[in-house]
Amino acid sequence: MHGTLRKAGAVACLEGVRTPSLVARKVMDETDHILLVGRDARRFARNMGFKIERDLNTDKSRRLWLEWKRRADPEHYPSPKDRARVWHKAGMQMAKEGLIDPEHFYGTINCNGLSTKGEVAG
């Protein structure tokens, strides 16, 4: 988002692209759209030269995900009531053991900034 220029760009449900934020920037800079979703976001990314990958996992990330899944889901599926607590507990335990970097435990965040002129960017 660029407040001063009154422009924004976003993508959602975009699979196979390692840098969706850069695709969102292209949406803002190259189109008159604000949001592209799913198949259309993927088609746009491909047309803008982004590599579409079948699987974004590395061997390490897949191994860690399987370990987290084994710890969090021993009965196959926790009840919806317990799911978030169980998943968080398993992830935090793996961070304590040094398997997951605690500085990168949580995912994407929103970050907005305000300049001294009152200009907003995100």
Side-chain angles (χ1 to χ4, degrees):
M1 177 178 71
H2 194 299
T4 307
L5 297 178
R6 292 185 174 90
K7 293 182 74 173
V11 291
C13 303
L14 175 59
E15 296 179 354
V17 177
R18 289 193 183 270
T19 54
S21 62
L22 296 179
V23 179
R25 177 68 188 254
K26 286 286 189 184
V27 171
M28 181 177 79
D29 291 342
E30 306 288 335
T31 76
D32 59 353
H33 298 288
I34 292 174
L35 174 65
L36 295 178
V37 179
R39 234 181 17 234
D40 290 330
R42 189 175 187 161
R43 183 180 307 121
F44 175 77
R46 184 180 295 113
N47 289 341
M48 291 289 111
F50 290 89
K51 181 178 178 185
I52 307 299
E53 299 179 54
R54 201 178 158 103
D55 185 358
L56 297 177
N57 288 301
T58 63
D59 290 340
K60 179 182 178 183
S61 69
R62 182 175 307 287
R63 183 175 37 78
L64 289 171
W65 178 78
L66 288 170
E67 176 60 19
W68 170 82
K69 191 75 169 149
R70 184 190 68 75
R71 292 178 185 211
D73 219 353
E75 305 286 324
H76 188 53
Y77 289 106
S79 72
K81 183 173 129 184
D82 296 332
R83 189 174 296 145
R85 180 185 53 77
V86 170
W87 289 353
H88 186 265
K89 181 180 173 186
M92 291 303 291
Q93 184 61 39
M94 289 175 71
K96 284 180 188 171
E97 293 172 17
L99 296 172
I100 298 173
D101 180 355
E103 294 295 315
H104 296 95
F105 179 72
Y106 296 97
T108 307
I109 63 160
N110 178 54
C111 182
N112 295 319
L114 181 65
S115 76
T116 55
K117 299 178 192 173
E119 302 164 332
V120 177

